[in-house]
Amino acid sequence: KDAMEIRALYLRLMAMISETLGKDYDYVNRIVKKHTQVMNINYYPACPNQDLTFGVAPHLDMCGVIVFIQGDVSSLQVLKDGNAFVVNLADQLQVLNNGIFKRVEHKAITNHTTTLISIPTFYGPSLDTFIAPVESMVDEKHLALYRGYKFEEYMRAF
């Protein structure tokens, strides 16, 4: 049930992003075609000496968007029913919007007194999706920052 609710949130987010790009609400969903959805569960036990442990190194994600569900953690978050939802744009959406909305470098850290659990859900395009800046984001003042490519090509290079 949670995966379906997060998917519904993703679809609403894509509708808002589509409209921000000057397109109809279903534009991004049509571009990414049959998107992938991968849900992880990350468990970070409490560690009294954080210098001795490592959560996840700083990184950028290759997919389109990531929705995180977190418990009580101190970070930028939107709370709903006691849960924190954090949404990160990733590489493919940065290309579609021609760099106007940036992907976010992020990392996971441990806590010295509290066990942390996060549940990231990654959404990406199908391998045959052609990714390129949307024409409404490109003009004489805003040249295309990225060349177009099939997502499969990006995955091989990544």
Side-chain angles (χ1 to χ4, degrees):
K1 181 180 175 186
D2 288 341
M4 294 303 292
E5 290 174 357
I6 294 171
R7 183 179 188 286
L9 171 62
Y10 163 78
L11 293 173
R12 287 193 305 271
L13 290 168
M14 293 306 96
M16 288 186 281
I17 290 171
S18 294
E19 291 173 355
T20 301
L21 295 173
K23 300 293 185 177
D24 67 277
Y25 77 97
D26 202 38
Y27 179 79
V28 173
N29 285 323
R30 286 195 313 274
I31 286 179
V32 299
K33 302 176 184 175
K34 184 178 179 183
H35 69 264
T36 59
Q37 177 178 348
V38 177
M39 182 180 274
N40 292 343
I41 298 175
N42 300 318
Y43 174 81
Y44 305 102
C47 182
N49 187 346
Q50 291 176 295
D51 294 334
L52 299 178
T53 190
F54 192 63
V56 175
H59 65 281
L60 300 164
D61 292 307
M62 64 183 174
C63 62
V65 70
I66 307 96
V67 178
F68 293 90
I69 301 173
Q70 304 180 105
D72 295 329
V73 292
S74 59
S75 64
L76 179 62
Q77 55 192 231
V78 177
L79 294 177
K80 181 181 184 315
D81 300 328
N83 290 315
F85 288 87
V86 177
V87 177
N88 286 349
L89 297 184
D91 293 356
Q92 307 319 306
L93 280 175
Q94 180 170 313
V95 173
L96 285 177
N97 70 63
N98 201 34
I100 293 170
F101 303 115
K102 304 289 186 195
R103 60 191 180 165
V104 178
E105 183 177 277
H106 54 283
K107 65 180 180 177
I109 59 172
T110 59
N111 186 287
H112 68 285
T113 60
T114 305
T115 295
L116 303 176
I117 294 175
S118 69
I119 306 172
T121 303
F122 303 87
Y123 293 92
S126 59
L127 290 176
D128 64 338
T129 300
F130 185 76
I131 304 290
V134 174
E135 66 276 358
S136 61
M137 300 287 106
V138 178
D139 59 28
E140 294 88 27
K141 292 182 180 181
H142 304 96
L143 301 177
L145 299 176
Y146 309 94
R147 69 172 180 82
Y149 54 86
K150 279 198 171 183
F151 185 57
E152 181 178 29
E153 175 188 353
Y154 183 88
M155 291 294 293
R156 281 195 309 267
F158 191 80

